[in-house]
Amino acid sequence: MKIALIQTNPVIGDFDFNCNKIVAWAEKAYTCGCRLAMFPEMAVSGYPPQDLLERTSFVAAQKKAVAALPARLPDIDVLFGCFSERREPKGKKLYNSAVVARQGEIIFQANKQLLPTYDVFDETRYFEPGDATELYVLDGHCFGVTVCEDIWHHEVEDYSREPVAQLYQRATLHNQRLQAVLNISASPFHLKKERKKHAMLSELCRRYQTSLLYVNQVGGQDALLFDGRSLAMNNRGQITAKAAGFKEDMLIVDTVDWNGLIKGSEVDDETEAVYAGLVMGVRDYIRKSGFSQAVLGVSGGIDSALTAAIAVDALGAENVMAVALPSAHSSSHSREDAEKLALALGCRYSVIPIKDLYEGFEKTLAPLFAGFEEDLTEQNLQARIRGNILMALSNKFGSILLTTGNKSEMAVGYCTLYGDMSGGLAVIADVPKRLVYKLAQYVNREKEIIPWRSISKPPSAELKPGQLDQDDLPPYDVLDSIVELHLEEGMGFADIVNEGYDESTVRDILRRIRVNEYKRKQAPLGLKVTSKAFGYGRRYPNVQNFQE
């Protein structure tokens, strides 16, 4: 029996679009001789719809879409995710469900039992956990149906029940063999997750001597990047087939032979995966938001160069405008590198000097600033002039402004509110500086696109004579390591110092992270690629004085 694992890229709340996609892909699966087509978690509404789930009109619109969908599907079983209403007076009003449509009606339903509430997830806000489900049988094959987190029991130890164990026990009780666990997911991508996920799934298959079919959502949704990479795994915990990463795909497996060949453009290299995710995230955020073009400032440095390369790969060179905004402190090599980058990318390029504008501001402010030495005020003023110009271009031409700051800068507030933080999408805001260098080298893997001088020269904001990032910050190797230990590993001051880092450096970095929360709350949405990003999933008060 052939089964199609179909990873789709939905638009939240566009029920017609999402259902049309399910129908079209199901028809392809039918044409290929499949008896079952599997779609991701909440494929009808898109995931995560967040507080749209609290709107009665949204719930009613999805109910109407789900009711009409089975009659449009081909003559095969179709398993897809949606939310469903509860009738009980107590508890939440909705379930996160997996349903099977057959011959024009819903014939099976399994409700998600384990509802994640960590990091970016908040499912208990909307859903009631489901009860243990019956087995799903098709052509004599016995399957257990699960939804995303239901198979993560052994990885997240907070759960009191284990859905796969329940399914295994139910099959054993009825003298049946659990041929495979079917899992529909909307599991976001982040660094180091894929290997961890494979190990967890492999252990599950070996533990219960069952195969696994896992289908995952793909596409960018606000800050979240869904990588797809749906897979089949045999009862020995070996991956036997895998779908493409970061794009829609259909993977067909056969119950006769789970040991198929790897299919599609497999992306397992972490740097390549991050780049593919960022390209997908930019493309989806911009297009799903109704934009088609982007504008950004290019300085001749590595961060803006990488952001421009991602934008061009996402939107096409004709839809990207790169703008250099040199000041009196901009070096000649920075101007040359910005132009060289634009030529290599083939995007539109303009130069708008800000020297005269800055001098006009200086003249206007001179009476009030008399007697004060120049300081960060004058540096930030240059950044804000640039931000205003770029926002004007964004408004005039209907292009979204992309910001170019990285995670290392965002962590310690090395950025200017209403200046280089102005924009609609922060492309690399969750990319540490060390990873920026790796991604730039990946861009140049076949030929020089980002000028090598942009990669090799010491980073500088060029807001005052002779300025270098490392005049104000510790080396990026040190900064990134401390930020990762603090944010992603949850370590405090003492633990990080015990890892061998200088006390004063650690204290200074943790202080900067703490006092710059207010800046990050005003930053544009950033694409999430690490296990703990600023913004989505991070809930810290702006005003607090807890010092570790």
Side-chain angles (χ1 to χ4, degrees), residues 1-241:
M1 182 175 69
K2 289 182 179 179
I3 300 174
L5 282 61
I6 303 169
Q7 54 191 45
T8 51
N9 184 349
V11 176
I12 287 178
D14 194 336
F15 298 112
D16 288 341
F17 176 84
N18 297 337
C19 287
N20 289 341
K21 193 179 287 285
I22 290 171
V23 171
W25 278 105
E27 288 175 345
K28 289 182 182 180
Y30 173 76
T31 302
C32 294
C34 296
R35 287 287 292 119
L36 171 65
M38 295 174 55
F39 290 88
E41 178 181 14
M42 297 183 73
V44 175
S45 66
Y47 184 91
Q50 298 180 303
D51 282 2
L52 284 170
L53 292 165
E54 297 178 345
R55 300 190 65 84
T56 55
S57 56
F58 185 80
V59 174
Q62 197 231 222
K63 183 178 181 179
K64 181 180 178 181
V66 171
L69 181 57
R72 302 176 57 201
L73 295 169
D75 189 21
I76 60 173
D77 280 15
V78 178
L79 169 63
F80 60 89
C82 58
F83 56 86
S84 57
E85 294 181 270
R86 295 179 69 242
R87 302 301 179 191
E88 291 78 0
K90 294 183 179 181
K92 301 298 180 182
K93 297 180 180 180
L94 301 173
Y95 287 122
N96 183 344
S97 302
V99 301
V100 176
R102 177 187 294 171
Q103 295 180 341
E105 61 180 354
I106 302 296
I107 58 97
F108 178 89
Q109 179 170 328
N111 300 320
K112 189 173 184 178
Q113 298 183 54
L114 307 185
L115 303 178
T117 58
Y118 53 86
D119 193 36
V120 301
F121 304 106
D122 196 10
E123 291 202 16
T124 56
R125 180 181 176 96
Y126 313 106
F127 301 118
E128 189 74 10
D131 296 322
T133 59
E134 298 295 326
L135 299 169
Y136 161 58
V137 179
L138 175 61
D139 295 348
H141 298 284
C142 177
F143 300 111
V145 177
T146 58
V147 182
C148 201
E149 192 81 0
D150 288 344
I151 59 174
W152 286 79
H153 174 272
H154 288 285
E155 194 62 40
V156 182
E157 298 178 354
D158 294 340
Y159 300 123
S160 59
R161 50 179 159 170
E162 187 173 354
V164 177
Q166 295 170 349
L167 292 165
Y168 178 80
Q169 291 162 5
R170 179 155 293 184
T172 302
L173 184 65
H174 292 86
N175 295 317
Q176 292 178 300
R177 175 173 170 261
L178 187 62
Q179 181 148 4
V181 171
L182 310 182
N183 183 264
I184 63 170
S185 282
S187 183
F189 163 82
H190 65 71
L191 276 165
K192 303 177 185 177
K193 182 177 181 179
E194 189 74 350
R195 185 175 299 177
K196 176 181 177 181
K197 179 175 68 180
H198 289 173
M200 182 270 296
L201 297 179
S202 179
E203 200 281 329
L204 180 146
C205 289
R206 293 193 304 270
R207 177 186 293 259
Y208 297 108
Q209 285 297 291
T210 185
S211 299
L212 172 75
L213 299 182
Y214 163 87
V215 61
N216 189 30
Q217 179 174 301
V218 71
Q221 176 52 50
D222 290 353
L224 300 181
L225 306 176
F226 295 90
D227 55 332
R229 296 201 272 195
S230 305
L231 59 84
M233 188 174 278
N234 62 24
N235 61 8
R236 298 182 300 280
Q238 300 166 320
I239 296 174
T240 58

